[in-house]
Every structure is written in C-alpha cells, then in structure tokens.
Amino acid sequence: MGGFSFWPLLLWGGVFFSLCGARPRGRILRGQETPPHQRPYMVSLQVGGKHLCGGALIADQWVLSAAHCLEEVGNETLQVLVGAHSLSEAEPNKRLVGVRALFPHPNSSVENNHDDLLLVQLEERVATNPHVQALAFQRNDRDVPAGTQCEVAGWGIISNTGKLPDKLQYVELAVISRTICNTRIHYDGAITEKLMCTESKKKDSCKGDSGGPLVCNGVAEGVVATGSRVCGNWKKPGIYTRIPPYAAWITSIWDAARPQPTDGPQAEAVA
C-alpha cells in the first residue's frame, strides 16, 4: 500500500470507510473487574451492538479513542455506549449514543502506530451524573516517570484464548522508560517521543482495549495503541499514544466544531 497516510473524508451526517491492513492492535489480561461505575469516563465503541474498542469521555460531547479502531468499522454505523459497567445488563444511566462526526488524527495511518488518536463527537451532549463523567487529560508535555503505577480499563479479551468479559475490567501497570522500551530486546528504537510503554509481564491490555485511556494519578496520559500479538509477553511492552503532544490538536477540533453565532452585531454586519 505504500507509506502514505490513508483516512477517508469524514462528514457530519455519515461516514464511509474503505480500509485494509492488519497489525497487532491495542490489546485487560489478568486484571480484575472494576467496582461498578468507579470509572465513569469509560465508554465502549460499538458496531451492531458489539464492543469494538474502548474510549474515554473527555467532555460532555467528546470521546477520545484510537484511530486504528476505524479499521474494523467498515460501512457499518459506529455508536458509543456510555454509563455502562456491564455490556449486557440493564443499568440506570447506561445509554447508546449516536456519532455526529469522527476525527482521526490527519497523520494516522493503517501502516504504522504513529499519531494513533481519534476524536469522536457525539450526536448530543450527555448528561453527567455519578455514572457518566469526563476524564481530565494531560496537557503538560513531559514524560511520566518510569515506575509510575498507572491503570488501564476496558472490555477487551481477558485471556489469550479470546475470552471476552461482560463487565469492565482494569489492570495496574508500571511505566517503562522510553530508553528501556527502545532496547533491542523490546522495540529496538521504534518508540518515539509521542509514544510511551508499560510493563507487560503476564498483566497487559489486550485486544478490544484499544482506544482506552492510560490513567496515571487520575489523569489520562495515553491511549492504548498496540503491543505483542500475544498479550502479556514481557518482551513486548504495551504501547500507548501519549496525549500531551496532541492537546493543541484536540483543542483545534473542538474550536472548529463549535457552532458559530447566527445573530448579533457581527452577523448583522455580514448581512
């Protein structure tokens, strides 16, 4: 396919995709079930009522996830489940919300892990409550110190046999320095300043956790991107897209999507 960035034009009313290619993607292995609704920012990106990827509500109409999740959408309709702990059981503040627009980072590509972020604008603003709340994301562009304990949550597979959970899982993982992650035994120089790694010895994020946030000290620092095809392989730490380098891009999308004034002195002058 060559080395170009290929994401289709995304329109307000509908979205059409024609994507191909496969690579090991964001992969909770050997974690545990979260207490219900203790991570009210977590959302499930779904197609046909089935979980596809994770994501984090970062504002009342915006979700942050991974661009590579769009590879599996095809021509189907993407929806976002908010307020959920169980994917199947009835819950008081759980609801499926439509998507108004999708904004993959313009430099994201099916060919590599770079710039693997996706902003999802929901069709409507969701009402916040104890089960639905936005998560703050890091804007200060500095590395999380090695050894920092962070966590990932999601509805991804919980064993390498492909077993899927119904209820939200989480796992605590320690950050690995970029220097160590770039050693030959791990990724041999492939981890750029826009990426970060966590340990993956038996515990790991796994398939279906892509797009979920890496939360350190209560703030989203990264987004699950990729790792080993076999989750929990200590030689292939989990890879996350760091959020701080993209804070300005996120803000620019928000500003561009904000409704423009239709009345007042400025509108009269234009008329």
Side-chain angles (χ1 to χ4, degrees):
M1 290 179 60
F4 60 92
S5 175
F6 175 50
W7 290 110
L9 180 65
L10 301 167
L11 303 177
W12 293 96
V15 184
F16 299 90
F17 301 99
S18 178
L19 300 175
C20 61
R23 55 193 168 97
R25 292 303 197 175
R27 329 148 290 113
I28 290 278
L29 185 74
R30 295 199 178 181
Q32 56 188 308
E33 182 183 335
T34 72
H37 309 294
Q38 290 301 299
R39 289 157 182 81
Y41 50 81
M42 286 299 301
V43 306
S44 167
L45 272 58
Q46 301 199 341
V47 171
K50 295 183 178 180
H51 173 78
L52 176 67
C53 278
L57 189 71
I58 57 171
D60 61 4
Q61 200 174 1
W62 294 92
V63 165
L64 183 63
S65 188
H68 77 257
C69 292
L70 298 182
E71 294 173 23
E72 299 181 50
V73 174
N75 292 321
E76 298 184 77
T77 300
L78 185 69
Q79 294 178 297
V80 178
L81 185 68
V82 302
H85 175 62
S86 164
L87 295 178
S88 65
E89 297 175 6
E91 295 171 342
N93 293 290
K94 173 179 167 182
R95 56 186 299 236
L96 204 54
V97 183
V99 171
R100 175 174 294 182
L102 298 170
F103 300 91
H105 191 277
N107 295 330
S108 59
S109 169
V110 297
E111 300 293 330
N112 56 54
N113 299 320
H114 303 312
D115 307 303
D116 189 13
L117 287 184
L118 169 69
L119 273 173
V120 180
Q121 185 182 26
L122 304 177
E123 278 187 338
E124 58 190 275
R125 298 180 185 277
V126 295
T128 57
N129 56 63
H131 296 180
V132 181
Q133 294 181 20
L135 174 65
F137 61 90
Q138 183 63 256
R139 296 172 182 269
N140 183 15
D141 194 358
R142 49 91 184 115
D143 284 328
V144 180
T148 300
Q149 290 291 321
C150 302
E151 69 165 45
V152 182
W155 291 273
I157 64 173
I158 56 177
S159 75
N160 282 309
T161 63
K163 182 179 180 181
L164 288 166
D166 177 65
K167 296 176 180 177
L168 185 65
Q169 308 289 305
Y170 82 101
V171 66
E172 295 183 350
L173 301 166
V175 172
I176 298 174
S177 73
R178 187 173 296 108
T179 299
I180 291 178
C181 206
N182 269 327
T183 56
R184 183 172 296 181
I185 197 172
H186 295 316
Y187 291 110
D188 198 18
I191 305 303
T192 70
E193 291 184 357
K194 291 183 178 181
L195 299 172
M196 63 186 294
C197 301
T198 65
E199 65 182 6
S200 57
K201 187 176 181 180
K202 296 185 179 179
K203 294 183 178 182
D204 203 356
S205 53
C206 208
K207 182 176 174 59
D209 294 321
S210 289
L214 178 68
V215 180
C216 310
N217 298 314
V219 177
E221 292 278 359
V223 170
V224 179
T226 187
S228 173
R229 289 185 182 276
V230 179
C231 307
N233 176 2
W234 70 272
K235 290 184 179 181
K236 297 298 179 184
I239 300 176
Y240 305 79
T241 304
R242 294 181 58 236
I243 298 173
Y246 302 93
W249 172 71
I250 293 172
T251 300
S252 71
I253 296 296
W254 285 355
D255 289 345
R258 185 175 293 120
Q260 299 300 309
T262 56
D263 53 18
Q266 186 174 14
E268 293 173 2
V270 172

